[in-house]
Amino acid sequence: MSANAASAGARFRQALNEESPLQVMGAINAYTAMMAERVGYKALYLAGAGVANASYGLPDLGVTNLTDVLTDLRRVTDATDLPVLVDVDTGFGGAFTIARLVRGLIKDGAAAMHMEDQVQLKRCGHRPGKEIVTKQEMLDRIKAAVDAKTDPDFFIVARTDALAIEGLQGAVDRASAYVEAGADMVFAEACTTLEEYKAFVEAIDSPHPVLANITEFSKTPNFTLDELRSVGVSAALYPLSANRAMNAAALKVYRHIREHGGAKELLDIMQTREELYDFLNYHDYEKKIDELFQKQNS
């Protein structure tokens, strides 16, 4: 097998071919990535909101930067061999910054990235008040990313937030142009109907035309895989599903212990020590320690 065939980008493309729609599961850190891999997911996602919220306690408003994203990416790719799709917001700058970003992502093990057509001072894709750059500026971003690839299989997803601003036809026209410029797939943000996804799929000339963002409490309904498959969607993204559940559980535990002075009533909702050890292969580490010390003492 060639080095290229084994690359993260190649593994992401293979996963898209093996599972349709490909479920891309959000993981905010190394341990959640390991759990997702054990459960059977074939691809992971590092959300910009996850980096901002969980790692830095910041809102998803373009406050974090290239270094912040790469730091969290390395933690995940060190812990799992699954291909990782990375949210890079608007690319963090101009053409040279985007090129540096792409090289850094590939070097640190990313399989794919998605970059959006919002202005630098971006907003969450499901919030009002979004602004987008001109189509030409986004095309320039995409061309800079494509030109910088050191792995030809690195997968570039172009996200468009134009649906809320330019309407369906305007967004579809942008998406088609983005693929012509070299993007491998389109992330159609904040679609509200299956028919909207179908319009993107039918307009885009790509083996894997559209990714659907199935994020909770948003403008997009919680469409099922069967529903997405029926209109030709190639990948379904679940960016922060586990993180939202983790946050709710943590808050429940904090409140309960503060009020009741202990957590014994909550043990049934906690992961046990042995479950944790199993995911971490803890006992294998202990066994290795014992072997090393036995050799030193013999």
Side-chain angles (χ1 to χ4, degrees):
M1 181 180 294
S2 70
N4 183 56
S7 72
R11 296 198 304 275
F12 187 77
R13 292 172 185 271
Q14 180 180 352
L16 280 166
N17 290 329
E18 291 177 352
E19 184 175 295
S20 183
L22 175 65
Q23 290 182 303
V24 186
M25 179 52 63
I28 63 166
N29 56 33
Y31 184 60
T32 55
M34 294 168 72
M35 289 194 289
E37 180 176 23
R38 181 81 68 90
V39 168
Y41 290 99
K42 296 181 181 294
L44 299 175
Y45 177 63
L46 184 63
V51 173
N53 303 164
S55 293
Y56 294 93
L58 293 169
D60 182 25
L61 290 169
V63 185
T64 48
N65 59 35
L66 183 157
T67 301
D68 299 330
V69 171
L70 293 180
T71 297
D72 277 6
L73 170 65
R74 284 191 294 271
R75 292 168 178 164
V76 171
T77 54
D78 280 349
T80 176
D81 289 329
L82 288 183
V84 181
L85 167 65
V86 182
D87 178 1
V88 300
D89 290 343
T90 61
F92 306 116
F96 293 128
T97 300
I98 291 170
R100 180 169 173 253
L101 165 67
V102 170
R103 291 192 296 268
L105 289 170
I106 295 171
K107 180 181 178 182
D108 290 336
M113 69 174 223
H114 75 72
M115 182 168 52
E116 64 203 54
D117 57 8
Q118 286 199 54
V119 297
Q120 293 289 342
L121 190 58
K122 57 154 287 178
R123 296 173 185 257
C124 167
H126 296 265
R127 294 288 299 161
K130 294 189 294 184
E131 296 182 48
I132 55 176
V133 298
T134 64
K135 182 167 67 176
Q136 186 58 55
E137 183 169 343
M138 182 59 177
L139 292 175
D140 290 342
R141 291 177 183 177
I142 294 168
K143 290 174 182 177
V146 172
D147 183 66
K149 292 199 301 185
T150 54
D151 169 19
D153 283 325
F154 184 70
F155 200 86
I156 295 176
V157 181
R159 169 176 147 176
T160 182
D161 285 74
L163 180 61
I165 300 162
E166 296 182 347
L168 180 58
Q169 191 58 54
V172 167
D173 290 345
R174 278 177 173 258
S176 298
Y178 297 167
V179 171
E180 289 178 11
D184 298 289
M185 175 184 274
V186 169
F187 178 155
E189 179 65 307
C191 286
T192 59
T193 68
L194 290 170
E195 288 70 26
E196 288 173 341
Y197 283 124
K198 186 176 181 179
F200 280 98
V201 170
E202 291 179 345
I204 297 169
D205 182 17
S206 170
H208 307 291
V210 174
L211 175 149
N213 184 20
I214 309 303
T215 183
E216 301 80 14
F217 314 110
S218 70
K219 293 182 179 297
T220 302
N222 291 309
F223 294 122
T224 67
L225 281 181
D226 285 342
E227 288 173 324
L228 296 172
R229 188 179 296 114
S230 73
V231 292
V233 167
S234 295
L237 182 63
Y238 307 89
L240 294 167
S241 304
N243 184 50
R244 290 191 175 98
M246 292 160 59
N247 290 344
L251 187 57
K252 179 177 181 179
V253 170
Y254 292 151
R255 285 172 171 165
H256 185 92
I257 293 175
R258 184 65 175 170
E259 181 178 351
H260 299 282
K264 64 180 181 180
E265 296 89 355
L266 301 177
L267 296 182
D268 62 332
I269 69 168
M270 295 185 183
Q271 186 178 62
T272 68
R273 186 182 297 272
E274 282 306 313
E275 288 172 328
L276 173 70
Y277 288 175
D278 180 48
F279 279 105
L280 294 174
N281 297 312
Y282 181 91
H283 297 297
D284 290 342
Y285 281 89
E286 278 194 334
K287 183 179 178 181
K288 185 65 175 178
I289 292 173
D290 292 339
E291 290 175 353
L292 290 170
F293 275 106
Q294 286 174 0
K295 289 179 181 179
Q296 290 176 1
N297 295 330
S298 61

